Amino acid sequence: MKRILITGGCGFIGSNFIRHMLKQNPDDRIVNLDKLTYAGNPANLADVEKDPRYLFVKGDIVDADLVKDIFSGQQIDTVVHFAAESHVDRSITGPAEFIRTNILGTFNLLEAAREAWLKTPAPGVDASEKGCRFVHVSTDEVYGSLGETGAFQETTPYDPRSPYSASKASSDHLVSAYFHTYGLPVLITNCSNNYGPYQFPEKLIPLVINNALQGKSLPVYGDGKNVRDWLYVIDHGEAIRTVLHKGRVGETYNIGGNSEKQNIEVVQTICDLLDEKTGKLPGGKDRRSLITYVKDRAGHDRRYAIDATKIRTELGWTPQVTFAAGMEKTIDWYLSNKAWIASVTDGTYREYYEKMYGKS
Ligand code: NAD
Ligand code: TYD
């Protein structure tokens, strides 16, 4: 039985991961530490709230005392670290929170793990021999932007371009330093763009689904030809689970969907699927008519693509869900969960949880 601290478990990927872990590893215990920022929504885990294997703690990873208390009080032997400020556009308008959470928060977690696993209770015993592991969940954006060809490998030099990717790059370096300097049993994953249920409707796919359902314009930045490599969120969860169980300590694993698409193709796919599933707009117009090209994002990375050879050949992981199947599942989920989108966009879910847990 593992005692796993999952940070940021009320966000998009973290909540899907917790549900996946409880199903796949029924003997493990999970503590979810989440600050409940605008992106954290405990309703994402309403179905597991009462599970005796699951404990939610509302708190900030930057709060060093709290993090240390959780390590000792809950006898944490495993960390899967998702908590972060995650949206590039927000990092352009307000970078400070990205530096605080993504860099200082990661540092606190590393320090707490170092103290709990390396200093006590048995100095000199290799923490990885005791089964301790710290998985740091990161992004392919740390590698910068690609031209027309090529793909990011684990050896690609870091070249972050946004405050978001720079803060994630910084946290990756700290994690790696704790392995080399102190022997902390860390593993790093760098993954491409995720999509699926429970994604906050500020990111491209849920934003476009939400706007297209309401007949609002669909903002496409620049010429719409920027490329992202899309991965269904449960495939990412299984990749992290695989790295946690089988990965080599100290290593980095790239994770990708082998599914490169231009943004405009993604937006058109959503429009066509919604027209098919819900009928066209009033007046018989296609949803593609809502597409509006807008001013480009500052420093907009042109193309991301992942070479996932290492995780495939070493650990046997490959994505199971194609882009077509994943988009269909995702759209069906948003169509069946309109109340979720409404509560997230009008903020009513926050009022409910603020009454329960207090304001962030
Ligand atoms: P998200 O924004 O949906 O969720 C982030 C979660 O972290 C929220 O629940 C939020 O409340 C919590 N959080 C933020 N600051 C915190 C703090 N100081 N203390 C405690 N909790 C805090 O993000 P996501 O899309 O689920 O991404 C999760 C992780 O995966 C991030 O580290 C991100 O960099 C990485 N990642 C995301 C993608 C993607 O496509 N979304 C791809 C690769 C890697
Ligand atoms: P996003 O979902 O923000 O992820 P990331 O910036 O981390 O890759 O954006 C995905 C792509 O879609 C990116 O190239 C920017 C673009 N985009 C738009 O064209 N319109 C939008 O409204 C948003 C949010 C993103």
Side-chain angles (χ1 to χ4, degrees), residues 87-88 141 193 202-204 219-221 228 263 297 300:
H87 190 41
V88 174
E141 305 192 21
N193 288 61
E202 64 183 354
K203 304 270 173 28
L204 179 69
V220 172
Y221 298 165
R228 298 292 182 264
N263 292 337
R297 172 188 277 172
H300 195 177

Side-chain angles (χ1 to χ4, degrees), residues 86-89 139-141 164 193-194 199 201-208 211 218-222 224-228 230 263-264 267 292 294 296-297 300-302 304:
S86 69
H87 190 41
V88 174
D89 292 324
T139 168
D140 60 353
E141 305 192 21
Y164 163 65
N193 288 61
N194 283 213
Q199 189 168 28
E202 64 183 354
K203 304 270 173 28
L204 179 69
I205 288 180
L207 181 136
V208 167
N211 283 13
L218 310 177
V220 172
Y221 298 165
K225 292 189 176 153
N226 297 63
V227 172
R228 298 292 182 264
W230 293 96
N263 292 337
I264 188 65
V267 175
T292 310
V294 298
D296 209 353
R297 172 188 277 172
H300 195 177
D301 288 339
R302 189 62 173 173
Y304 302 145

Side-chain angles (χ1 to χ4, degrees), residues 56-101:
F56 173 60
V57 178
K58 179 180 186 280
D60 192 333
I61 56 168
V62 180
D63 180 344
D65 291 338
L66 171 68
V67 172
K68 280 181 187 165
D69 284 352
I70 293 174
F71 266 81
S72 54
Q74 298 295 327
Q75 294 158 304
I76 297 299
D77 55 30
T78 305
V79 174
V80 184
H81 174 33
F82 292 97
E85 287 293 331
S86 69
H87 190 41
V88 174
D89 292 324
R90 283 180 190 255
S91 82
I92 295 169
T93 51
E97 205 51 35
F98 287 71
I99 305 307
R100 186 185 168 277
T101 285

